[in-house]
Amino acid sequence: MTPVCKVSELTPGSMKTVNVSGKRIAVANIDGQYFAIDDACSHVGCSLGSEGFLDGTTVTCGCHGAQFDITNGKVLALPAVSDVSSYEVTVEGDMVSVAV
Ligand code: FES
């Protein structure tokens, strides 16, 4: 588990990009539940955590509109056709950590 940010930096309904061992990960807080997926959209690699939009558990890529389920990385809408990886997230005290 790698600490990535404080709980206060990730308010409910928000999402951000973090770096874990040189890998970009998008971390989200959905009503107090935390999820992490690859930050790079599987279409052509735009940042989901920084340029994407979160609506419920659906992330929409800001570049061309592909959608992913933040809870498991499954692709939901074109133009992306491949899932992205999802990662385990834990919260201890005020720190959010991701296992990559
Ligand atoms: S890079 Fe995400 S939809 Fe094109």
Side-chain angles (χ1 to χ4, degrees), residues 78-94:
L78 295 170
V81 293
S82 303
D83 299 340
V84 295
S85 297
S86 66
Y87 303 95
E88 184 184 352
V89 183
T90 59
V91 177
E92 283 183 35
D94 68 342

Side-chain angles (χ1 to χ4, degrees), residues 53-64:
F53 305 96
L54 194 56
D55 182 13
T57 57
T58 300
V59 182
T60 301
C61 181
C63 287
H64 316 104

Side-chain angles (χ1 to χ4, degrees), residues 7 10-15 29-32 34 54:
V7 168
L10 203 57
T11 54
S14 72
M15 181 171 61
N29 176 346
I30 311 290
D31 294 333
Y34 295 82
L54 194 56

Side-chain angles (χ1 to χ4, degrees), residues 5-27:
C5 67
K6 292 188 171 188
V7 168
S8 58
E9 296 176 79
L10 203 57
T11 54
S14 72
M15 181 171 61
K16 66 183 295 179
T17 299
V18 298
N19 271 290
V20 180
S21 306
K23 189 172 177 59
R24 278 175 22 220
I25 305 291
V27 186

Side-chain angles (χ1 to χ4, degrees), residues 41 43-46 61 63-66 79:
C41 176
H43 180 222
V44 290
C46 285
C61 181
C63 287
H64 316 104

